[in-house]
Amino acid sequence: MNYSKQRESIKEYLMSTKEHPTADVIYQHVREENPKISLGTVYRNLTLLVELGEVRKISTGDGTDHFDADTSAHSHYFCRCCHRLMDVDVTPSVEQILAASSAGIGTVEQASLLFTGVCKDCVINNETNNNG
């Protein structure tokens, strides 16, 4: 595969943030450095980086995909109120991985968990707004 300055810019941005940005957010940031880049180019390069295993794609169920340069085994928490996606230091147990492997669906190469709920900041804000 040939070197691509655009792909490198996308990867560098993802590695520089602890957030889990969407393609649109990545596009906005990379565009500051490279104004000629298109949203389609960002999507194509993200797809390639995911296929190469250099970036993780996290689908949160709200129709928006988020991206993470941290490909180590870790899980995520998605707040359905503010739509933030955060790392959670929880990994699937050996028992869960073995159970999935023995379910007859095929081999398990990677496992991750996605927790969904309302984050503590949103809970506090909702309580404050309801009591105010």
Side-chain angles (χ1 to χ4, degrees):
M1 176 181 15
N2 294 334
Y3 172 81
S4 164
K5 182 180 178 185
Q6 295 166 327
R7 186 167 43 256
E8 194 65 29
S9 295
I10 292 166
K11 191 173 172 187
E12 283 177 13
Y13 170 67
L14 280 170
M15 290 176 11
S16 75
T17 182
K18 292 289 183 190
E19 302 295 317
H20 300 79
T22 63
D24 290 334
V25 171
I26 295 166
Y27 169 67
Q28 293 301 323
H29 282 274
V30 173
R31 196 168 168 225
E32 292 172 9
E33 186 181 305
N34 184 353
K36 293 184 179 183
I37 195 168
S38 71
L39 184 57
T41 297
V42 171
Y43 273 104
R44 281 190 298 280
N45 279 287
L46 285 169
T47 298
L48 180 60
L49 288 167
V50 169
E51 288 173 0
L52 293 172
E54 295 182 29
V55 169
R56 286 175 74 181
K57 178 168 81 169
I58 303 113
S59 299
T60 57
D62 70 346
T64 306
D65 293 326
H66 297 257
F67 297 88
D68 191 353
D70 181 359
T71 59
S72 67
H74 68 283
S75 299
H76 295 91
Y77 179 90
F78 177 70
C79 177
R80 61 180 173 75
C81 186
C82 68
H83 299 265
R84 280 190 310 164
L85 185 66
M86 300 166 262
D87 289 336
V88 179
D89 192 19
V90 174
T91 55
S93 70
V94 172
E95 291 81 15
Q96 290 170 316
I97 294 169
L98 290 174
S101 295
S102 65
I105 56 174
T107 63
V108 175
E109 296 173 353
Q110 181 181 350
S112 64
L113 296 172
L114 175 66
F115 299 94
T116 303
V118 178
C119 72
K120 63 182 178 182
D121 293 340
C122 289
V123 169
I124 291 169
N125 287 337
N126 286 337
E127 289 175 0
T128 303
N129 291 336
N130 290 335
N131 292 331

